[in-house]
Amino acid sequence: EIGSGLVGSEMCIRDSLTGVRKTVDGTEEQYRQLKESAIEFSKTNAVSADQILDIQALGAQLGFSIDELDDFSRVVSGLDIATDMNAEQAATELAQFANIVKMSHSDVSRYGSAIVNLGNNLATTESSVSSMGRRIAAATNQVGMSTPDILGWSGAMSSLGIEAEAGGSAFSTLISNMSLAVQQGGDGLEQFADVA
């Protein structure tokens, strides 16, 4: 039974590695390194090597290069293990947020740490912070908010029970209106100044 389990596990790893090969170009050495890294990571974390390779394939589909997939899969699997987010949600929202705010792919671990920190220290969940961040990213990025600013606002709003769909749209509209008022001046800007 043990032997057949190992064979089954190796087959799952091989199938998942095939998924990585289909989504990103690389050398045999790069694929071998991804596989070995996935196996090593799975030995000390509550995630299997084939799950890590599946996350890497998803990362490649979402625009991460082969050299970035190991870090990407570690952050996403960490979010999957330690938060209320599943791997697909974590991967998709991380990648979309990074694309919107033009966050360097080398900063994915900082993003993951920020999401976990906000979830641990505010009356909200990591999935709520991540969803809100993705929702407000475009409008807030256009007015020059940094990634920490965006995630901070996301944590604050979601800790007040504001849902990402409606709250994110309302906040984005407010930020856009404020930006327009600053550009145009006049009564609209005075009204915002009075409120402030």
Side-chain angles (χ1 to χ4, degrees), residues 22-102:
K22 289 178 182 177
T23 55
V24 67
D25 292 330
T27 65
E28 287 305 313
E29 176 62 17
Q30 288 172 313
Y31 294 132
R32 185 188 61 74
Q33 288 174 353
L34 287 177
K35 177 183 172 184
E36 287 179 6
S37 179
I39 292 169
E40 284 304 309
F41 188 75
S42 71
K43 290 178 181 177
T44 57
N45 294 277
V47 61
S48 68
D50 59 297
Q51 289 171 316
I52 294 168
L53 290 166
D54 290 342
I55 292 168
Q56 290 174 357
L58 182 57
Q61 290 173 347
L62 294 168
F64 285 76
S65 72
I66 194 162
D67 294 328
E68 300 166 331
L69 292 179
D70 190 42
D71 285 342
F72 176 82
S73 64
R74 288 172 185 265
V75 171
V76 169
S77 61
L79 289 170
D80 182 32
I81 293 166
T83 73
D84 67 324
M85 300 171 75
N86 65 39
E88 187 172 347
Q89 178 190 10
T92 303
E93 290 184 351
L94 185 159
Q96 289 174 347
F97 183 87
N99 289 340
I100 294 168
V101 303
K102 296 174 180 48

Side-chain angles (χ1 to χ4, degrees), residues 118-189:
L118 290 165
N120 287 343
N121 291 292
L122 296 173
T124 188
T125 64
E126 294 85 358
S127 64
S128 295
V129 175
S130 178
S131 295
M132 183 70 78
R134 186 179 51 82
R135 287 272 180 182
I136 69 171
T140 53
N141 187 55
Q142 285 180 342
V143 298
M145 283 190 181
S146 67
T147 297
D149 293 336
I150 296 167
L151 294 178
W153 274 104
S154 300
M157 289 190 299
S158 61
S159 71
L160 295 172
I162 299 171
E163 296 293 327
E165 292 78 19
S169 297
F171 187 75
S172 295
T173 300
L174 173 66
I175 292 296
S176 297
N177 289 342
M178 290 173 90
S179 178
L180 185 61
V182 168
Q183 292 171 10
Q184 294 178 343
D187 291 341
L189 182 57

Side-chain angles (χ1 to χ4, degrees), residues 8-21:
S9 176
E10 184 60 37
M11 286 176 52
C12 289
I13 292 171
R14 192 175 317 125
D15 289 346
S16 294
L17 186 59
T18 299
V20 174
R21 288 176 187 270

